[in-house]
Amino acid sequence: MNVFALLRWSYKEGLRSSAKYSTISSFQGSESRKYVPRRAVLYVPGSDERKLQKIPSLGADCIVLDCEDGVALSRKNEARSKIRHLLQSREIDFSGKDCSVRVNSVESGLCEEDLREVLSASHLPDTLHLPKVESPDHLDWFADKLKSTLRSHKTAEKMRLIIFTESAMSLLKLPAICQRGIELSEETPFVLDGVVFGSDDFCADIGATRTNEAKELLYARQYVVMVAKAFKLQAIDLVYIDYKDLEGLRIQSEEGAGMGFTGKQVIHPGQVEVVQAAFSPKPQKVEWARELVQAFEDHQQQGKGAFTFRGHMIDMPLLLQARNIIQMASVTSK
Ligand code: COA
Ligand code: MG
């Protein structure tokens, strides 16, 4: 299939499947799955006991216990067994945060052992993160391994799955990857919930020079948001690696939120507050949205379609944006 055929196909498939999956934009009226906010997605290296002990004080919505790139190759076993212990003992309080584990990629040769060790704990994480998904086949492989790993596990609820797109080829195949993830969600112990843009691996892959302004990534970021949203999945933006530069982080976070990302990866606790603020609707915006929805309903009852609200023309797309804002405010204010 050439790229254009792939895009046409994925558009149709996205429409067909869109009703079933809940992101913030489809959450209104979504019947089954609750929306898990992931404004700041914080990596904690699984091999680092000191950092793991900090989890109760980390305010991020989503804590990622990392087996992948935050862990040296020589310490993979240590990371697995620390994460297993942490899940098993429940000594660390996640208090409502999304407790997630990032395993190594399918091609690393380490993923199967990660799953075996980490998921042998009697308590499973809420979410798994699978990096460097290069093709739909990777998800087939992962689903198989997950099924066999969990064969004897009594799981009450499915785990969420977040996949990473981190290379040019992965981005090209992203619609087909998302589609396969959604199909597999019907029959495996995971349900696909989001896509992360892995910008540093992507830059290395395409030979781009990484800058704080990230102009070199504009197209890729917009593309990832578009595809993720076509499949009603969360879209998680790049890491701002200059972690001491909070002003640069604020600018990039607000830019990502404005582009449609639902959250952002962070590597340091000092980044959490800035990122979560950027991905939370501002009180004035929530008030605007509530008033707009009310005005829309009043006009509908009077049989009017488009109307003027605070000097702007309002029609259905604006109403949908307003509903997104109200929904995001309700899940992030708890
Ligand atoms: N998770 C939990 N705690 C963290 C943390 C993290 N990701 N990053 C830093 N901390 C803690 C430190 O342990 C330190 O606590 P202490 O003062 O009690 O020792 C405190 O926050 C301040 O940290 P700081 O001294 O400023 O940074 P550092 O030199 O300890 O660590 C990094 C800097 C970048 C190495 C560290 O933030 C890190 O490992 N981040 C994750 C990197 C990663 O996972 N990369 C792969 C994904 S892209
Ligand atoms: Mg990466």
Side-chain angles (χ1 to χ4, degrees):
M1 209 187 279
N2 69 31
V3 173
F4 296 106
L6 186 68
L7 284 171
R8 273 198 305 277
W9 167 83
S10 61
Y11 172 73
K12 278 195 265 159
E13 288 301 311
L15 284 183
R16 202 180 302 162
S17 57
S18 63
K20 287 184 278 178
Y21 302 95
S22 66
T23 62
I24 209 74
S25 52
S26 68
F27 191 64
Q28 295 275 335
S30 154
E31 57 319 313
S32 52
R33 268 196 301 137
K34 110 175 150 36
Y35 185 85
V36 176
R38 297 187 186 89
R39 291 167 298 174
V41 174
L42 173 64
Y43 297 100
V44 183
S47 53
D48 191 327
E49 188 63 39
R50 194 175 172 87
K51 290 186 172 61
L52 292 171
Q53 291 303 326
K54 299 225 175 271
I55 288 171
S57 67
L58 304 170
D61 289 334
C62 174
I63 304 287
V64 187
L65 307 168
D66 195 16
C67 294
E68 205 220 5
D69 285 354
V71 175
L73 207 50
S74 59
R75 300 189 66 191
K76 297 287 183 188
N77 279 336
E78 201 183 334
R80 290 175 186 130
S81 77
K82 279 189 194 301
I83 294 171
R84 183 192 177 281
H85 173 76
L86 192 150
L87 293 170
Q88 179 73 29
S89 67
R90 291 196 149 177
E91 275 163 14
I92 290 184
D93 179 16
F94 279 78
S95 55
K97 300 174 186 110
D98 184 40
C99 167
S100 349
V101 174
R102 180 166 73 165
V103 292
N104 286 281
S105 69
V106 171
E107 282 181 355
S108 67
L110 300 166
C111 184
E112 192 169 355
E113 188 54 32
D114 292 341
L115 291 175
R116 206 178 2 246
E117 173 77 17
V118 167
L119 303 184
S120 66
S122 49
H123 303 293
L124 297 179
D126 303 319
T127 303
L128 290 173
H129 293 236
L130 182 63
K132 301 185 177 68
V133 177
E134 290 290 309
S135 70
D137 294 351
H138 281 191
L139 289 183
D140 286 320
W141 183 95
F142 186 74
D144 261 11
K145 295 296 169 207
L146 197 59
K147 270 193 213 160
S148 57
T149 309
L150 293 175
R151 199 172 296 130
S152 57
H153 212 288
K154 289 188 192 65
T155 42
E157 227 180 295
K158 282 187 178 219
M159 282 177 284
R160 313 274 174 135
L161 178 67
I162 307 280
I163 56 173
F164 287 53
T165 186
E166 320 191 48
S167 72
M169 189 49 83
S170 170
L171 259 75
L172 265 188
K173 292 187 184 166
L174 193 56
I177 292 171
C178 292
Q179 179 61 29
R180 189 71 191 125
I182 282 169
E183 287 161 7
L184 287 166
S185 299
E186 305 282 339
E187 58 193 64
T188 48
F190 69 67
V191 55
L192 185 62
D193 209 27
V195 179
V196 169
F197 178 43
S199 60
D200 291 293
D201 286 293
F202 179 77
C203 273
D205 189 47
I206 67 168
T209 305
R210 193 77 167 73
T211 64
N212 280 358
E213 294 70 33
K215 278 206 188 93
E216 67 283 2
L217 295 170
L218 186 58
Y219 167 70
R221 286 167 82 198
Q222 290 179 328
Y223 181 76
V224 170
V225 172
M226 183 191 73
V227 176
K229 295 300 176 82
F231 289 90
K232 303 296 173 196
L233 299 169
Q234 293 186 359
I236 315 284
D237 204 4
L238 61 131
V239 178
Y240 192 76
I241 46 178
D242 190 356
Y243 66 86
K244 292 187 179 153
D245 172 15
L246 295 184
E247 180 55 12
L249 175 69
R250 183 189 64 75
I251 292 168
Q252 193 181 79
S253 304
E254 289 177 356
E255 185 182 73
M259 287 164 79
F261 281 99
T262 48
K264 185 172 183 66
Q265 303 163 82
V266 298
I267 50 170
H268 191 278
Q271 295 183 308
V272 171
E273 201 180 325
V274 171
V275 168
Q276 301 217 145
F279 285 91
S280 308
K282 308 277 172 290
Q284 311 89 296
K285 200 72 190 169
V286 179
E287 188 196 318
W288 168 86
R290 290 211 168 103
E291 287 179 13
L292 186 151
V293 169
Q294 186 57 55
F296 188 90
E297 282 164 9
D298 294 347
H299 282 81
Q300 284 292 302
Q301 277 182 2
Q302 295 160 25
K304 292 182 191 159
F307 64 100
T308 302
F309 175 75
R310 296 193 187 176
H312 291 98
M313 188 278 288
I314 302 296
D315 57 6
M316 192 53 90
L318 259 293
L319 176 77
L320 296 177
Q321 287 174 32
R323 283 189 173 152
N324 281 346
I325 290 164
I326 295 169
Q327 185 60 52
M328 187 53 116
S330 75
V331 292
T332 54
S333 62
K334 288 169 191 146

